[in-house]
């Protein structure tokens, strides 16, 4: 039994997801992309995963033997930055934002909710995507007390909750 691609997408749109910018640096290129296909895998060793479409530039860049990447978890005030890394072409995507190099050399967003700097641990082909498992070598949570940027049903959302911070 199979379902149509459209039915599959319609069902998945009902699952809210956090928004990240995945970044990498190779010997001759720095690149980043917006992604919501991210999750934790294991605390020991610390592993996370991201799923990257085979047609995306990031896929090619993460195929190297010594590939590294960072996952920058976006705050609710990062909507414009998310769009910049999702849709902007032929511009320096890193021209906006507080970027520095993480321990692996991958770009780290200084005002992210949190970031995880990784070396590629393993790769698993999965349909139109590859699952990249990253071994976390460093992380910080600069704005852990802020709300995340959430994507649900083709749009950005904010959390509607009482302020418990005080």
């Amino acid at each position: 039994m199979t379902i149509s691609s459209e039915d599959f997408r319609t069902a998945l749109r009902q699952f809210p997801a956090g928004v990240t910018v995945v970044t990498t640096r190779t010997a001759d290129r720095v690149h980043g992309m917006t992604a919501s296909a991210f999750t934790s895998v294991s605390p020991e060793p610390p592993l996370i995963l991201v799923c990257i479409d085979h047609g995306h530039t990031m896929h090619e860049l993460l195929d190297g033997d010594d590939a590294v990447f960072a996952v920058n978890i976006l705050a609710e005030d990062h909507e414009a930055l998310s769009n910049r890394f999702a849709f902007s072409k032929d511009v320096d995507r890193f021209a906006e934002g507080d970027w520095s190099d993480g321990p692996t050399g991958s770009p780290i967003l200084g005002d992210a909710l949190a970031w995880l700097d990784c070396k590629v641990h393993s790769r698993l082909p999965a349909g139109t995507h590859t699952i990249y498992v990253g071994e976390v070598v460093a992380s910080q949570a600069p704005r852990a007390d802020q709300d995340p940027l959430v994507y649900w049903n083709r749009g950005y959302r904010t959390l509607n909750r009482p302020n418990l911070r005080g």
Side-chain angles (χ1 to χ4, degrees), residues 8 17 19 22 38 45 56 65 70 109 111 120 141 151 155:
F8 181 68
V19 182
V22 178
F38 156 77
H56 197 284
D65 290 337
L109 181 61
D111 67 342
V120 173
Y151 194 78

Side-chain angles (χ1 to χ4, degrees), residues 89-107:
K89 305 287 186 227
D90 302 323
V91 299
D92 178 4
R93 294 177 176 177
F94 295 95
E96 294 184 18
D98 177 22
W99 296 99
S100 62
D101 291 343
T104 68
S106 295

Side-chain angles (χ1 to χ4, degrees), residues 60-74:
E60 173 187 337
L61 297 174
L62 292 182
D63 273 347
D65 290 337
D66 296 322
V68 295
F69 66 93
V71 175
N72 298 276
I73 301 172
L74 301 185

Side-chain angles (χ1 to χ4, degrees), residues 110-122:
D111 67 342
L113 285 185
W115 54 262
L116 303 108
D117 199 11
C118 306
K119 60 183 181 179
V120 173
H121 175 273
S122 56

Side-chain angles (χ1 to χ4, degrees), residues 11-97:
L12 290 181
R13 278 195 290 273
Q14 303 315 306
F15 186 73
V19 182
T20 70
V21 169
V22 178
T23 59
T24 191
R25 182 180 307 274
T26 64
D28 59 351
R29 185 147 188 206
V30 62
H31 187 68
M33 62 171 278
T34 299
S36 60
F38 156 77
T39 194
S40 63
V41 175
S42 166
E44 203 54 47
L47 302 174
I48 56 97
L49 70 77
V50 294
C51 300
I52 309 293
D53 187 293
H54 293 164
H56 197 284
T57 301
M58 184 67 73
H59 185 271
E60 173 187 337
L61 297 174
L62 292 182
D63 273 347
D65 290 337
D66 296 322
V68 295
F69 66 93
V71 175
N72 298 276
I73 301 172
L74 301 185
E76 69 181 353
D77 60 353
H78 286 136
E79 183 175 332
L81 191 65
S82 172
N83 285 334
R84 183 177 184 85
F85 279 83
F87 304 117
S88 295
K89 305 287 186 227
D90 302 323
V91 299
D92 178 4
R93 294 177 176 177
F94 295 95
E96 294 184 18

